Amino acid sequence: MKEGIPGAIYLKDYTPPEYLVDTIDLHFTLDEEVTIVRTCQAMRKNLAGKSSSSELILHGVELKLLAVSIDKRELSSAEFIVENECLRIYDVPEKHLLEVITELSPQTNTSLEGLYKSKGMYCTQCEAEGFRRISYFLDRPDVMARYTTTIVADKQQYPVLLSNGNKTGFGEFEDGKHWAKWEDPFPKPSYLFALVAGDLSCQSGKFTTGSGREVTLEIFVEHANIDKCDHAIASLQKAMQWDEQVYGREYDLDIYMIVAVNHFNMGAMENKGLNIFNAACVLANPQTATDADFESIESIIAHEYFHNWTGNRVTCRDWFQLSLKEGLTVFRDQEFTADMISRPVKRISDVNILRTAQFPQDAGPMAHPVRPDSFIDISNFYTVTIYNKGAEVIRMMHTLLGEKGFRKGMDLYFQRHDGQAVTTDDFVKALQDANDFDFGLFKNWYKQAGTPVVKVISSYNQTKQEYTLSFVQSCGATPGQADKDSFHIPIKVGLLDNNGNDIPLMQPSLGGGEKVRHSILELKERETQFTFSGIKHKPVPSLLRSFSAPITIDYAYSDEELMFLLANDNDLFNRWEAGQRLATRVINRLILSIQNGKTLTLSKEYVATYLEVLSNTKLDNSLIAQAISLPNEIYLAELQEVVDPSAIHRAREFVCDALSENLESQFYEIYHALNTPSEYQFNATEIARRSLKNLCLSYLMRRNTKKIRTLALQQYNAQNNMTDVIAALNGLVNNRGDESAEVLADFYSKWKHDHLVVNKWFAIQARSNHESALNDVKELMQHPAFEFTNPNDVRALVGGFCFGNPVNFHREDGAGYEFLTQNILELNKVNPQIAARLASGFSQWRRFDKLRQVKMKTQLETILASDGLPKDVFEIVSKSLDG
């Protein structure tokens, strides 16, 4: 980078704003050439401010300033200056009315921040710092104001005009334009502002709150997509009811709106009363969306709705507190989904994200605490650490307090801080005060980065009938944190007897010394020991049940103990976990055999464990599917001291092929038993049936016989639902049979009119294990359906290859790395936020062999040396090189 190094912003330097904004009146005149924005802000000096200066400094990025007025008097050029992405006004009264007029070009704004156009629709994205691309303003989350918004636009082109709050007026002009006025009665920070103008269809619904108020629900989409809104409406109604039942939180406006847009950097945005969604996170019907899509949409709809209280009514004081709203709301949406679908399967899914995305981040140069100490660009901290590890921190507090105690704490939190911008300390204090519980040590989870490792040693005294578990916790160095203090870690433990039954344990914390199935052990010191009495025979420990803390457990289970837990553990998460540990152990041994040039073999005992799981009629189909799914290559790589992508891929493929060969008749039998085409239903039973059926098909496809390929073709041609179609297509493409090119062409022909479905087509080819995958992806980037300025397209094709196809991305010739760099450099000019996310694909470069290290480092240096490097990309690349 040749234009200087961007400066870091530090939590320790936080100071309250010098001025506050009570109200802001916005007026937008939308036009095809330029858009004019007029803001009128009622401002006053903040008594909590640290400066006595009368200077006012406002944020602004890439704005054309037309005029500035104070108390109706236009300022001369000598009274202000525009510099360094800010407007500096030299002398302002303690209380005043500030008017700012700016000119924008939304149609050329490819960053998708601020106000921009997406396929003929005006829309906004203001989190985290997008509002400063609309007008000069105190664009920080602790400045909360009441917003009134007037939008003027051509009525024929933009018949729908939306903003936050309730519509209070509308009308028409003689020149063909019309206007709408919206007022939000609740103070909010600028990052929650939203505006939409377009030619859209609307699907409506209703929800009656617990207090009897009727709320109008509206989802706005392009006209062609109006048949794909039913699931989103139903999901929103479920979320509203769940939040009332579980947290007592009732919606507070008369209307709740969602708009689906095609060009969006994130999944969705919780703007007060007007959520703006990536279309992929709203639109679904059985013909176009998979079970995973339906689940994701339900979860994201719920997440953004839950933000109404955990993020909007109570927001974060500064961006270092981002997990205050995101971690808490992710926990809430996880619990909602667990109640809607399957709690064990949801837990497995959440932990898989932690292990394949968050744990690697904690072990790399971009490691940061849940409450970071500093950042260069805030967009880089919308991470799995803030969201997913942040949710785990909330989950641990929920575990320690219990459901009733946690609810008491949440009630106090809302009571104390409604309408305020607060910190994670404020949140923890509310839980602590409501329950008289000491969370002092626990707050290290917010302050310290890294994944703790807990080593466990067991001993059994037959004479005393005592079983002892000794725990030693440690956490490795992370950037800026060489030494770590102890964590407060809740570990849920069960002990199994010889018959696989839980041994009743004493849990004094529950009162009365009653017997329970498992005990919550609280680790607070480096070394902690617990002794259980009355244990008649040596048990098998079931450690970290339900993954009660985001840690790594180091316990020397034997293969036999893991097989025992896989067959018997009453904690369904740990039953799955035992299978994953066993599979990982088997694959790791095969990796060593590959590296040492030895013949690969798979024991009959290991195959027998899978047969036992397949034959277990007591297990739900979804849990059987999870249990017979091998750890993916990304997770397996995290367990290697030096990552060898080729050996990992070959070892895992060998196990899959061996299971396919040895259990072919069982897979075939289960597939046919579950292959009962019927009208699509989105419920736990049907999702589980399709999940296991299609997993059996994927194993069968490895046999690659004409009989099996015919089976897949039959499922594909039935076109009963997109879940089954994608499963069949994926199997045919990955096995490169004669039919693969034909079905790919057929699929595109059928769905070329639906861009979200075309992205599935892109992603399947990007993730193909075939050695031609990189060339295929390059060719697809020239396909007329691919749009480089659409983040969904880039995620499906470029992201699908670089993050979802490790064996081909990490080719020894470095071609995959060169491909990623080329796209990052191009995206720097178009959408730096997406470029920065792609750049994280190089962050683990030090963990690979020397050859790949050199090639990845070269690419990082090439990116760093490029002209005009955006600060978000700079932060990722520079930290990756320095880490």
Side-chain angles (χ1 to χ4, degrees), residues 519-534:
S519 182
I520 298 172
L521 309 180
E522 297 184 42
L523 278 56
K524 298 182 180 181
E525 308 291 338
R526 295 282 182 190
E527 299 184 20
T528 316
Q529 184 172 290
F530 298 91
T531 298
F532 299 87
S533 301

Side-chain angles (χ1 to χ4, degrees), residues 93 119 251 261 349 664 675 723 773 811:
K119 288 187 70 176
Y251 187 61
V261 303
S349 172
E664 179 177 357
N675 189 31
T723 304
R811 288 167 42 152

Side-chain angles (χ1 to χ4, degrees), residues 692-705:
L692 181 54
K693 178 192 75 170
N694 287 322
L695 184 59
C696 288
L697 179 63
S698 72
Y699 274 112
L700 287 169
M701 284 298 295
R702 291 176 173 276
R703 306 301 299 138
N704 207 18
T705 64

Side-chain angles (χ1 to χ4, degrees), residues 110-121:
T110 60
S111 72
L112 310 188
E113 296 179 85
L115 178 67
Y116 65 95
K117 289 192 80 172
S118 171
K119 288 187 70 176
M121 179 198 320

Side-chain angles (χ1 to χ4, degrees), residues 172-197:
E172 297 182 18
F173 299 107
E174 292 182 357
D175 60 358
K177 293 185 177 181
H178 69 140
W179 62 273
K181 185 175 182 179
W182 295 81
E183 293 184 14
D184 188 347
F186 297 96
K188 65 173 179 283
S190 55
Y191 82 85
L192 290 172
F193 171 76
L195 175 152
V196 170

Side-chain angles (χ1 to χ4, degrees), residues 21 23-26 38-42 72 97-100:
V21 182
T23 62
I24 176 170
D25 193 336
L26 297 105
R38 185 176 73 246
T39 64
C40 191
Q41 309 169 36
K72 304 296 184 180
L97 199 65
L98 173 70
E99 185 173 357
V100 178

Side-chain angles (χ1 to χ4, degrees), residues 641-761:
E641 192 170 328
V642 177
V643 180
D644 184 343
S646 301
I648 292 170
H649 178 71
R650 185 179 162 194
R652 188 180 184 278
E653 289 292 290
F654 175 81
V655 176
C656 288
D657 288 342
L659 292 173
S660 174
E661 180 180 358
N662 285 280
L663 300 174
E664 179 177 357
S665 62
Q666 285 81 12
F667 288 137
Y668 198 80
E669 181 182 342
I670 293 171
Y671 175 84
H672 278 289
L674 298 176
N675 189 31
T676 54
S678 57
E679 185 176 346
Y680 181 89
Q681 296 181 63
F682 178 70
N683 58 50
T685 301
E686 285 296 290
I687 292 169
R689 179 183 66 81
R690 286 186 290 268
S691 175
L692 181 54
K693 178 192 75 170
N694 287 322
L695 184 59
C696 288
L697 179 63
S698 72
Y699 274 112
L700 287 169
M701 284 298 295
R702 291 176 173 276
R703 306 301 299 138
N704 207 18
T705 64
K706 185 175 181 180
K707 174 184 174 183
I708 299 300
R709 292 201 303 273
T710 300
L711 201 68
L713 277 171
Q714 289 172 347
Q715 178 167 309
Y716 172 82
N717 289 325
Q719 296 285 317
N720 182 259
N721 61 78
M722 186 55 73
T723 304
D724 286 349
V725 169
I726 288 292
L729 179 63
N730 196 52
L732 290 163
V733 170
N734 270 311
N735 286 282
R736 289 282 169 161
D738 297 336
E739 306 87 355
S740 61
E742 183 181 337
V743 292
L744 279 170
D746 178 77
F747 186 89
Y748 179 74
S749 176
K750 280 187 172 76
W751 296 107
K752 59 186 177 184
H753 62 282
D754 191 317
H755 202 73
L756 293 180
V757 180
V758 171
N759 276 336
K760 300 180 192 302
W761 184 75

